[in-house]
Amino acid sequence: MNLHRLFNPESVAVIGAGERNGSIGYSIMKNLFETGFKGKIFPVNPKYKQVMGIPAFSDIRDIGEAMDMAVIATPMTHIPEIVDACGNAGLAGVVIISSGGKETGEKGRDMERRIMEKARPHNLRVIGPNCLGIMNTSRNLNASFAHISPLPGKVAFLSQSGAVCTSVLDLAHRENFGFSHFISLGSMLDVDFADMIDYFGSLDHVSSIVMYMESITNIRNFMSAARAASRLKPIIVLKSGRSAAGARAAASHTGALAGVDGIYDAAFQRAGILRVNEFEELFDCSEFLAKQPHPSGPGLAIVTNAGGPGVMAADALASHGMEPVEFTPETLARLDKILPQNWSRGNPVDVLGSTDPGAYMEAVKICTSAPEADGVLLICSPAGTMDTLGLAKALADHLKTAPCPVLTAWIGGDNVIKARQIFNQSGVATYDSAERAVKVFKDLYQYGRNLEMLSEIPVRADVRLKIDREHADRILGQARKKGERSLAEAEAKSLLLAYGIPANQTKIADSEKTAIELSWQTGFPVVLKICSRDILHKSDCKGVALDLKTPEEVKTAYRQILGDAKKSFPDADIKGVTVQTMQPTPDYELIIGAKKDDHFGPVILFGMGGILTEIFRDSAMGLPPLNQSLARQMIEKTKISTVLKGFRNIQPVDRTRIEEILIRTARLVTDFPEIKAIDINPLVVKDGTLTAVDARVLIAPADVASPMHLIISSYPRQYEKQETTVDGHDFFIRPIRPSDADLLLDHFCSLSPRSIYMRFFSPQKKLSRQMLIKLTQIDYDREIALVALMGDGPAQEMVGVCRIILYPDGTQAEFAMAISDHWQGRGIGSSLLKACLRAAWDKGIKRVMGLVLAENTQMLKLGKKLGFTIARVSESSEYELVIEYEQMKMV
């Protein structure tokens, strides 16, 4: 509510307003006037009696009228007191233009702490400090000191950099496209990207969100907001700092591969965000989204008046792993009728430089209406007799109603500038090269593809992972008790085995004699490896001896390994060696790992393994929790994935087994936040069998308990429970899962029209695929959805669903529930609602509310039984049920 008032104010106070041309206070006042802001403006500055003809006030406390927001442009030292006064005056928020916050050091950080201490008691939202200001074109609001105002549009733009804001504004004016909002977030003391994505995601008139980002605060909130909004509208980000972020590494293969910038890539993809790498790319995508819908598929048709540029466009597509769409015989036949005999007869469509503009126009109409085309790129260069300006004029009107997205690339200098201006004035996306246009098409198609993968309904799998969490807890507990920072190899493999991750048997020998005895027990040939928590990479000290076939070889190897280790690492605590079976020569080697990042929490890694892992760097990353679909996507990003299918004399691997190992690894680091890193390298592959022959696990004290160390909410297993109906039927309550789509659909079909009306307050004949995805693929940070299940296996039936949906303020929520007709009145609804209320209480929800139709007497009776207060909604046939925090605790 406060953010809505902040961005849609009826009145604005400008604290630090001035009349000196060139000052920030003057520029803010000037922008408010020139954009035609219709609300009241209150200049505040003790130096002036009036500013720009409006009476000025010495202090905001002197105004005495209701205000929605204030823009503050005063020295930083005065701002805590000003913020307190704004809160007392009932403002929704403030925009702090002033610099002098944390960017100046400890003194500035202390100043920011004081500002928030004054803002929080009033729930006053703060944008900035050190920002350019905010703009909302639908309200004619320009509360900034920008040199120009944005044109109206549907794209919301967010930036931490004021300089990027002004640059984008300049370019947008040149290309004639506009924005719904233009927000400079500055230091993000309070309002951050997550807040803004949540807000813009809820606005129907905002079609897409574009961001320039330097850092993320509250990453879990950011991921939650982005995952919700990206399903509704495109989100594009340019994240700077690639090289600086990539400089960080850890003392493990996984750490070296999982640089911070790569983690941002994984996080953005998981959130459904399109990441671009250059400012030009950010701007080009922004322009396209402002003028066109994003393409629904990869099929790009290319029309050109010259062969060379068409080939360049095809090459650009190939560089992104794409090809021009293949035309159907019907499309080719239509083109044959209107083009010269020697036209290219394929895609790109080369209409030839001597062809008249009318034929080019007809080719465009055919290509844009071709069902196989998901987008069309029009290229024109000043070749032959083509009138580039006249063609642009002729195309401009037609392209406004084209049935698919269209990009134009009029290539050249002064001869085509006016043609590009025609396109810009007509709202047609235009670029100065075919390569730029192709990159935009690729980026926005990839966004759509990422969204499809996010919205994929997983195959239902009733098999639960069998893990021995107690054994794993004992291993890690003993290490924690001893203050260890890593597990010995044998302990690490035992931990993996507890979670069902395949590893070879490993025994520790602390003497030559024991090494020989264990070798006999294991069976020759054997492998000896140095056993020390202080030596992470055994190859650094010749700490591995392979294919030892006799006791004498074992004895010699033992001495050599310990001697070399002590020489290379004189301070290392060496326990002896491990004895393992010599594995046959592998077909190839993989790596599976996990790294706990300071900001992103655990990150899972998969790729090509072995000692050259860091050289070839063929790997992909993902964020837990993982499911089969997400694990499969990780695998498919790597080049080694092609070998998994089988190659020449190499047998194929059961890819579902690798997916399962990734899921189990993700579950392990989810369950134990003290795990800092896991390296399973190599995970050898021989004749389709997978075995971890080396593993290391690093640990450190955890700051938070599981699962709060994750940036994506995980499946809340704590709400699983067995229950019994009042007439003795057992049923199982658990949180809903993405794979429950079929069960939910069957449950919906089990409801009578009356029950459907009671639940949805309107007649619903079916659940669309989009609705099924929305109801099953939930964010457990934003929603509690518990289901009641009867039976097991294929015959399992969903007999009830109860939801509690959190409000944006995080303190209130509303509930809804539906029970299959033939199971009503047996206590299932009571059990579900109680379980949901307990979960809401766990989350700190202070109040849960719900609307119930007057004829739904069963629900009204249950509400009264559980302690809800019940009140008739004025002039309505509905009752509102409300339960407070203290009553929830007692349910």
Side-chain angles (χ1 to χ4, degrees):
M1 182 62 185
N2 274 1
L3 280 182
H4 181 77
R5 283 180 60 204
L6 175 59
F7 291 111
N8 299 271
E10 298 293 336
S11 54
V12 177
V14 181
I15 303 173
E19 289 200 322
R20 180 173 57 83
N21 194 351
S23 69
I24 290 176
Y26 170 83
S27 298
I28 295 167
M29 290 290 294
K30 179 172 175 286
N31 282 337
L32 285 168
F33 274 113
E34 290 187 349
T35 53
F37 176 62
K38 299 295 192 297
K40 293 182 178 180
I41 301 172
F42 300 105
V44 179
N45 193 326
K47 297 179 181 178
Y48 297 96
K49 296 290 186 184
Q50 62 176 26
V51 175
M52 297 185 182
I54 300 177
F57 298 86
S58 297
D59 192 294
I60 193 169
R61 286 167 285 210
D62 299 334
I63 296 174
E65 291 189 44
M67 292 167 285
D68 290 312
M69 62 91 79
V71 188
I72 304 174
T74 67
M76 199 67 165
T77 51
H78 302 315
I79 292 180
E81 180 186 354
I82 293 171
V83 166
D84 188 41
C86 289
N88 286 324
L91 275 69
V94 296
V95 178
I96 303 177
I97 305 294
S98 319
S99 60
K102 57 176 172 271
E103 74 274 9
T104 64
E106 185 55 40
K107 186 177 179 180
R109 283 190 286 273
D110 180 63
M111 186 63 64
E112 290 191 354
R113 282 192 291 269
R114 290 172 55 198
I115 291 171
M116 287 311 300
E117 285 172 2
K118 300 295 185 182
R120 282 193 193 98
H122 306 289
N123 195 25
L124 185 76
R125 303 310 306 266
V126 178
I127 290 180
N130 195 20
C131 73
L132 183 75
I134 65 172
M135 301 168 236
N136 178 356
T137 56
S138 68
R139 299 287 296 180
N140 295 326
L141 174 72
N142 184 347
S144 80
F145 64 99
H147 62 300
I148 52 175
S149 294
L151 301 170
K154 293 185 176 182
V155 178
F157 184 82
L158 303 168
S159 175
Q160 283 179 276
S161 164
V164 169
C165 285
T166 54
S167 299
V168 169
L169 273 175
D170 265 354
L171 290 168
H173 269 266
R174 188 189 72 185
E175 300 297 314
N176 194 45
F177 73 88
F179 300 90
S180 63
H181 300 77
F182 211 88
I183 312 297
S184 170
L185 291 173
S187 299
M188 298 195 302
L189 175 58
D190 173 32
V191 175
D192 59 12
F193 285 109
D195 293 313
M196 297 311 307
I197 291 171
D198 258 335
Y199 178 66
F200 291 138
S202 69
L203 300 181
D204 291 337
H205 65 283
V206 173
S207 63
S208 55
I209 303 168
V210 178
M211 304 182 291
Y212 171 78
M213 176 187 294
E214 293 169 359
S215 62
I216 306 178
T217 58
N218 302 319
I219 294 178
R220 183 160 172 148
N221 291 347
F222 172 85
M223 292 294 290
S224 178
R227 290 172 68 215
S230 65
R231 296 174 188 270
L232 305 174
K233 55 196 71 175
I235 304 176
I236 302 175
V237 63
L238 172 60
K239 166 69 177 66
S240 62
R242 279 184 176 271
S243 58
R248 293 184 54 190
S252 69
H253 290 299
T254 301
L257 291 172
V260 173
D261 198 61
I263 300 173
Y264 271 103
D265 281 338
F268 289 145
Q269 182 170 353
R270 184 69 177 273
I273 295 173
L274 169 64
R275 181 179 188 177
V276 297
N277 299 325
E278 300 167 356
F279 178 76
E280 178 184 83
E281 199 176 355
L282 178 75
F283 182 80
D284 288 349
C285 287
S286 303
E287 177 182 2
F288 188 86
L289 289 175
K291 297 176 177 179
Q292 295 277 344
H294 65 82
S296 58
L300 182 65
I302 302 167
V303 181
T304 177
N305 73 324
V311 172
M312 291 164 64
D315 285 346
L317 275 173
S319 71
H320 300 301
M322 302 169 68
E323 293 183 358
V325 69
E326 185 175 344
F327 287 137
T328 63
E330 291 78 11
T331 301
L332 289 171
R334 292 180 66 197
L335 289 168
D336 260 333
K337 290 180 181 179
I338 57 100
L339 291 177
Q341 186 175 3
N342 58 338
W343 79 279
S344 60
R345 279 189 170 76
N347 188 16
V349 179
D350 181 2
V351 301
L352 306 176
S354 58
T355 304
D356 67 90
Y360 190 110
M361 275 287 298
E362 288 304 309
V364 170
K365 291 177 181 177
I366 292 169
C367 289
T368 53
S369 62
E372 65 270 28
D374 301 304
V376 178
L377 169 59
L378 308 182
I379 304 173
C380 188
S381 63
T385 59
M386 182 64 72
D387 177 7
T388 58
L389 179 59
L391 180 59
K393 289 178 179 177
L395 282 168
D397 285 336
H398 168 70
L399 295 182
K400 290 178 182 178
T401 57
C404 70
V406 179
L407 309 91
T408 64
W410 258 229
I411 303 171
D414 292 344
N415 287 324
V416 298
I417 288 176
K418 289 184 178 179
R420 289 196 209 119
Q421 289 173 346
I422 293 292
F423 286 133
N424 282 327
Q425 290 164 4
S426 301
V428 176
T430 186
Y431 306 96
D432 58 14
S433 73
E435 290 87 349
R436 281 180 70 177
V438 165
K439 182 178 279 190
V440 170
F441 181 84
K442 181 272 300 184
D443 282 341
L444 292 168
Y445 158 67
Q446 188 59 54
Y447 159 77
R449 180 74 184 112
N450 289 347
L451 206 57
E452 281 179 21
M453 290 190 290
L454 280 177
S455 301
E456 183 179 324
I457 297 176
V459 175
R460 187 181 171 204
D462 293 320
V463 179
R464 286 175 66 100
L465 294 181
K466 292 183 179 180
I467 60 174
D468 190 348
R469 184 168 179 172
E470 290 183 1
H471 181 58
D473 195 29
R474 282 195 298 271
I475 294 169
L476 291 167
Q478 290 169 5
R480 288 193 302 264
K481 193 173 181 180
K482 295 176 183 177
E484 303 288 2
R485 295 299 184 186
S486 63
L487 301 184
E489 183 183 353
E491 296 169 334
K493 288 182 177 175
S494 183
L495 180 70
L496 299 183
L497 289 168
Y499 268 68
I501 300 167
N504 64 336
Q505 190 177 40
T506 301
K507 300 175 181 178
I508 300 174
D510 58 1
S511 68
E512 294 174 14
K513 180 181 177 183
T514 306
I516 293 170
E517 290 174 354
L518 291 177
S519 297
W520 281 114
Q521 293 174 19
T522 302
F524 290 100
V526 297
V527 175
L528 299 190
K529 298 180 184 178
I530 190 69
C531 181
S532 172
R533 291 183 174 87
D534 300 323
I535 302 174
L536 292 177
H537 298 294
K538 299 174 180 66
S539 57
D540 291 346
C541 63
K542 300 178 182 178
V544 180
L546 304 172
D547 201 20
L548 305 176
K549 297 183 177 66
T550 66
E552 190 60 36
E553 288 182 2
V554 170
K555 182 178 179 180
T556 301
Y558 184 93
R559 292 177 180 177
Q560 182 179 345
I561 288 173
L562 261 67
D564 288 338
K566 289 176 180 177
K567 184 177 178 181
S568 300
F569 296 94
D571 298 325
D573 179 17
I574 298 172
K575 304 296 185 184
V577 300
T578 59
V579 182
Q580 307 170 37
T581 301
M582 178 66 192
Q583 300 289 318
T585 303
D587 296 328
Y588 52 92
E589 297 174 328
L590 302 173
I591 180 174
I592 288 178
K595 171 187 182 285
K596 186 178 181 182
D597 181 78
D598 291 341
H599 304 289
F600 289 88
V603 182
I604 310 300
L605 180 133
F606 169 81
M608 185 174 70
I611 61 173
L612 298 180
T613 294
E614 294 171 41
I615 301 298
F616 292 105
R617 304 184 75 83
D618 176 28
S619 61
M621 283 180 281
L623 298 168
L626 293 180
N627 58 26
Q628 193 172 6
S629 175
L630 293 168
R632 184 181 70 246
Q633 291 168 30
M634 280 182 63
I635 295 168
E636 290 174 349
K637 289 179 191 175
T638 63
K639 295 176 183 176
I640 195 68
S641 65
T642 59
V643 182
L644 303 180
K645 303 171 186 176
F647 181 73
R648 293 183 180 174
N649 63 334
I650 298 176
Q651 292 186 23
V653 177
D654 181 1
R655 190 176 297 202
T656 59
R657 179 63 173 139
I658 301 177
E659 293 166 3
E660 183 186 312
I661 294 172
L662 285 168
I663 292 168
R664 289 177 179 274
T665 304
R667 174 73 182 276
L668 178 56
V669 296
T670 295
D671 289 347
F672 297 100
E674 61 265 45
I675 294 177
K676 187 177 179 182
I678 296 176
D679 268 357
I680 306 171
N681 185 31
L683 178 69
V684 300
V685 183
K686 180 64 178 177
D687 296 334
T689 301
L690 300 154
T691 308
V693 299
D694 200 2
R696 69 175 58 89
V697 176
L698 307 181
I699 60 175
D703 297 330
V704 295
S706 175
M708 296 310 296
H709 64 306
L710 305 181
I711 63 166
I712 299 172
S713 57
S714 63
Y715 175 82
R717 299 178 190 281
Q718 67 270 30
Y719 301 126
E720 294 183 343
K721 61 185 303 188
Q722 198 72 39
E723 291 279 9
T724 306
T725 65
V726 293
D727 54 351
H729 291 86
D730 292 334
F731 64 97
F732 187 58
I733 290 178
R734 65 162 170 80
I736 202 165
R737 296 172 179 161
S739 56
D740 285 336
D742 288 342
L743 284 174
L744 183 64
L745 189 58
D746 290 342
H747 167 67
F748 179 82
C749 293
S750 76
L751 300 175
S752 65
R754 181 179 183 276
S755 292
I756 290 173
Y757 189 79
M758 295 289 188
R759 164 61 178 88
F760 295 99
F761 284 41
S762 65
Q764 296 267 340
K765 293 186 178 180
K766 65 178 181 177
L767 290 180
S768 66
R769 184 179 188 277
Q770 200 59 37
M771 181 65 78
L772 277 174
I773 291 170
K774 180 181 179 182
L775 294 175
T776 55
Q777 298 187 19
I778 69 170
D779 184 338
Y780 299 111
D781 280 346
R782 292 170 172 249
E783 186 175 346
I784 300 160
L786 301 182
V787 297
L789 303 171
M790 286 282 186
D792 294 302
Q796 192 173 62
E797 178 187 5
M798 184 182 291
V799 298
V801 184
C802 186
R803 297 176 187 275
I804 290 187
I805 302 166
L806 280 64
Y807 287 5
D809 65 4
T811 66
Q812 300 184 86
E814 64 179 69
F815 76 89
M817 185 166 64
I819 307 297
S820 297
D821 282 63
H822 57 287
W823 286 104
Q824 290 177 9
R826 305 197 201 183
I828 294 173
S830 177
S831 295
L832 275 174
L833 186 52
K834 284 180 182 179
C836 274
L837 290 174
R838 291 189 195 106
W841 187 85
D842 287 345
K843 288 181 174 291
I845 303 300
K846 304 301 182 187
R847 171 183 289 187
V848 174
M849 300 163 285
L851 290 178
V852 176
L853 292 171
E855 57 264 39
N856 193 350
T857 54
Q858 281 185 306
M859 189 65 240
L860 292 171
K861 183 178 178 181
L862 175 58
K864 184 177 181 180
K865 177 184 173 182
L866 296 183
F868 282 84
T869 59
I870 302 173
R872 187 79 179 240
V873 178
S874 178
E875 299 182 4
S876 169
S877 62
E878 300 164 2
Y879 284 90
E880 183 180 56
L881 276 62
V882 178
I883 189 168
E884 305 289 347
Y885 183 76
E886 289 304 318
Q887 282 71 43
M888 279 189 269
K889 183 179 178 180
M890 300 170 66
V891 167

